[in-house]
Amino acid sequence: MSMPALLDLYRVQARMAVQQQLQYRMRNAMVLVGFLTEPVVYLAVWTAVAKENGGSVGGWTSGTLAAYFIVWTLVRSMNVVFTPYGFEWRIRTGQMSASLLRPRHPVHYDLAYFAGSKVVWFVMWLPIAAALALLFRPTLRPEAVEVLVFVVAIVGAYLIRSLLQWLIGMVTFWTTRVGALFEIYMVAELMLSGRLVPMSLMPSWVRDVAGWLPFKWTFGFPIEVLVGDLGTRALLLGLATQAAWIAATAGLLALAWRGAVRRYSAVGN
Amino acid sequence: MRALRLIALHLRVVAMYEMQYRMNFFLQLFQSALATGTGLVVLALVYAQVDELRGWSRPELLVVLGVFTIIGGVLESVVKPNLVRFMEEVADGRLDFVLAKPVDAQLLISIRAVRFWQAVDVLVGAVVLGVGASRLTPRPGALAVLGFAAGLLFAVVILYSFLLILATSAFWFVRVDSFVETFDGVFQAGRWPIGIYPGWLRTGLTVVVPVGFAVTVPAELLTDRSGWVTLAAEAALAAALAGLARLCWRLGLRRYGGASA
């Protein structure tokens, strides 16, 4: 299969995703409402802390905190990927057998499908962002270059998070169950990515640990590109680090895949 | 009396079944510990910056976290699994078998499916609550503890009734499982006393989805923030919602077409 054919695959998968997501408008809207509680709770807590502290906490005012967590909602909805639970289901029910018969590596189908569904999610996100902005009054004045880097960084974040969760999902080739491992991943992500709180509010040793791990490139970095004031060097360095993590996770995935396929014996039907 | 015997019988069957899978106890304990640990870290982060959050001290917020974990455990182990099974049965018509039995059907659909090991959350929550309560100054009096216990009971009634009302909408809309997901998200707001939220959200968490109200009121009773008036209001809300749930249940049953529909 050639490169144009691969692009074709992505185009078709993405279009299918858009059409399928459009069928479940009400369902998607409900899921989005459930999603929103998380950042709104974090925002309320840290705004309360800032107020208690006389207006700001660690340099964050209620305006910049609002900006952080509103951009968070966009990054989060662009960050939704195929989960290890989905992987577990495929393995347990034997669906993986069908995927293995396809001419391309199955990861391409997932990457393309979830990328396509982002179109629908983005449209649904727009009115929500407007409502949040009216309610919380964010302070957000990004420069043009920051917006540009943000768009690229979101794609990077999507790829890193997809590949990481695919890797964890692949554990089910050996174990069939993945719940416990995935929960550890979720807690690590919560603490070390800027999902729970801007990383600058974490103790410095936590920040040091986070610097060596992929998590903050999936949440904190894209958000701070837009909300913070990173400077050209930090922006480019960030994109380069994202690229390095994509290469590393993709390499690991290719390597693990060989072992996994050899190991596979269809469970289920 | 018969209802109690029926509940005990169902619990025994579930326990006998789940005892076969003892490993799940440790898995559940691990997950509960992870979730509670996360909550404790967040409290540590907040109280590294301030001594009080909107008038709540650290031990007091520990009490809130404990109450949240206990109620969450009850919802996850008893309320939600039962209602999810009920909604599935409405969708595919298997509810017929329940309706054919000679006991109250609402009772039956509320006690059949219990996720036994998930009740570990209740234990973990009780430990957190105990630690928080032991550090309260002044120590809560016997009356406050009594009010707290009653408040906790009413909170469970409120959330059960609220979720049952949502679930009975399956009689009209058939596929409503996404309501449960949405509720899970909103329930997380109960981790914090509703006083820290902006006004519109506080109203929402009291009136529209009474999550914040249900978790915060017992904690307020134990920490001496509110007294008998609040408890009476909570009791009234519990009674009203339970009545409304019963009404929705009756109307829904009339609408239910059975397996042939």
Side-chain angles (χ1 to χ4, degrees):
Chain A
M1 224 178 172
S2 61
M3 199 60 196
L6 182 64
L7 285 179
D8 228 31
L9 184 161
Y10 268 77
R11 212 166 35 83
V12 172
Q13 277 289 111
R15 210 171 51 212
M16 252 163 55
V18 170
Q19 264 150 21
Q20 285 186 9
Q21 295 293 316
L22 279 177
Q23 285 176 27
Y24 301 106
R25 281 177 304 254
M26 188 60 199
R27 196 202 156 92
N28 279 335
M30 296 289 287
V31 171
L32 209 54
V33 169
F35 253 34
L36 280 178
T37 316
E38 190 186 341
V40 167
V41 169
Y42 300 153
L43 175 56
V45 169
W46 290 102
T47 309
V49 172
K51 279 206 183 116
E52 203 82 45
N53 248 348
S56 81
V57 50
W60 294 87
T61 62
S62 57
T64 51
L65 280 169
Y68 187 92
F69 284 109
I70 291 174
V71 176
W72 185 108
T73 59
L74 177 59
V75 172
R76 176 74 187 102
S77 22
M78 296 297 113
N79 238 341
V80 176
V81 301
F82 184 67
T83 68
Y85 288 128
F87 218 106
E88 185 182 296
W89 176 80
R90 273 184 196 167
I91 292 283
R92 266 214 319 255
T93 57
Q95 303 283 331
M96 193 47 99
S97 308
S99 306
L100 289 175
L101 288 175
R102 289 175 161 179
R104 276 283 172 176
H105 196 301
V107 75
H108 289 303
Y109 295 90
D110 290 334
L111 281 177
Y113 185 87
F114 278 82
S117 63
K118 303 297 180 236
V119 179
V120 180
W121 281 80
F122 181 71
V123 175
M124 289 196 309
W125 173 81
L126 286 172
I128 287 171
L132 288 175
L134 277 176
L135 286 168
F136 289 106
R137 309 266 158 206
T139 329
L140 185 63
R141 282 182 218 84
E143 297 157 29
V145 60
E146 288 177 343
V147 176
L148 201 69
V149 173
F150 175 72
V151 173
V152 182
I154 275 195
V155 178
Y158 169 69
L159 287 175
I160 296 173
R161 204 161 182 265
S162 290
L163 294 171
L164 276 178
Q165 296 205 12
W166 231 78
L167 271 172
I168 293 173
M170 276 173 63
V171 171
T172 51
F173 275 110
W174 284 270
T175 61
T176 322
R177 296 284 295 267
V178 75
L181 185 65
F182 186 44
E183 298 220 2
I184 295 176
Y185 169 89
M186 292 305 282
V187 169
E189 177 180 273
L190 206 58
M191 299 290 172
L192 301 169
S193 73
R195 177 172 176 167
L196 183 70
V197 59
M199 285 310 282
S200 65
L201 289 176
M202 282 282 185
S204 67
W205 65 268
V206 176
R207 262 177 289 159
D208 291 342
V209 173
W212 292 99
L213 295 169
F215 304 109
K216 77 169 189 177
W217 304 103
T218 66
F219 266 97
F221 173 66
I223 300 175
E224 286 187 32
V225 164
L226 212 55
V227 178
D229 204 8
L230 288 183
T232 319
R233 193 168 168 277
L235 290 179
L236 293 179
L237 205 64
L239 289 184
T241 317
Q242 276 193 325
W245 274 112
I246 294 168
T249 41
L252 195 59
L253 198 150
L255 207 67
W257 182 251
R258 267 188 245 159
V261 173
R262 214 168 297 143
R263 159 88 205 180
Y264 181 68
S265 59
V267 190
N269 38 11
Chain B
M1 220 39 240
R2 188 151 171 236
L4 284 181
R5 270 217 325 270
L6 207 58
I7 292 173
L9 187 67
H10 271 94
L11 272 180
R12 225 182 68 212
V13 173
V14 169
M16 271 160 60
Y17 178 79
E18 297 264 9
M19 283 296 176
Q20 300 174 77
Y21 306 98
R22 263 165 243 158
M23 230 354 242
N24 283 355
F25 168 76
F26 293 101
L27 270 177
Q28 188 56 49
L29 192 63
F30 170 76
Q31 288 180 348
S32 302
L34 215 56
T36 308
T38 310
L40 294 177
V41 168
V42 177
L43 284 188
L45 284 174
V46 166
Y47 284 98
Q49 307 282 350
V50 289
D51 297 325
E52 263 193 3
L53 192 65
R54 291 287 163 91
W56 291 79
S57 68
R58 192 167 175 172
E60 288 172 339
L61 275 196
L62 225 50
V63 169
V64 176
L65 183 64
V67 174
F68 171 79
T69 312
I70 291 174
I71 294 180
V74 175
L75 293 185
E76 286 296 327
S77 60
V78 184
V79 178
K80 269 172 47 190
N82 272 303
L83 292 183
V84 166
R85 178 156 159 202
F86 156 71
M87 286 189 284
E88 284 168 10
E89 292 185 347
V90 172
D92 63 20
R94 272 179 300 156
L95 191 67
D96 290 8
F97 299 121
V98 178
L99 298 178
K101 288 188 176 131
V103 273
D104 186 89
Q106 187 191 337
L107 174 71
L108 206 55
I109 63 122
S110 306
I111 57 171
R112 292 174 303 165
V114 175
R115 271 159 63 191
F116 190 72
W117 297 119
Q118 193 89 43
V120 168
D121 275 351
V122 177
L123 295 181
V124 173
V127 171
V128 174
L129 172 70
V131 172
S134 69
R135 291 188 192 163
L136 290 177
T137 44
R139 277 291 182 79
L143 223 53
V145 173
L146 208 63
F148 166 78
L152 205 57
L153 191 69
F154 292 140
V156 171
V157 173
I158 289 173
L159 290 173
Y160 161 75
S161 308
F162 179 76
L163 281 170
L164 181 62
I165 293 169
L166 282 190
T168 52
S169 67
F171 284 123
W172 287 270
F173 304 117
V174 187
R175 286 272 168 219
V176 290
D177 44 332
S178 59
F179 283 137
V180 177
E181 260 173 75
T182 310
F183 176 82
D184 281 350
V186 176
F187 182 66
Q188 296 301 318
R191 280 176 184 277
W192 302 88
I194 45 175
I196 73 155
Y197 296 116
W200 58 272
L201 191 55
R202 213 177 313 153
T203 314
L205 291 172
T206 310
V207 184
V208 187
V209 187
V211 164
F213 189 74
V215 179
T216 305
V217 167
E220 281 185 345
L221 289 163
L222 193 65
T223 56
D224 226 7
R225 275 188 173 65
S226 42
W228 299 107
V229 180
T230 318
L231 187 60
E234 201 195 13
L237 182 66
L241 277 177
L244 187 61
R246 186 71 183 171
L247 185 69
C248 289
W249 169 258
R250 286 247 171 97
L251 290 176
L253 274 190
R254 208 174 299 162
R255 155 104 201 171
Y256 174 68
S260 55

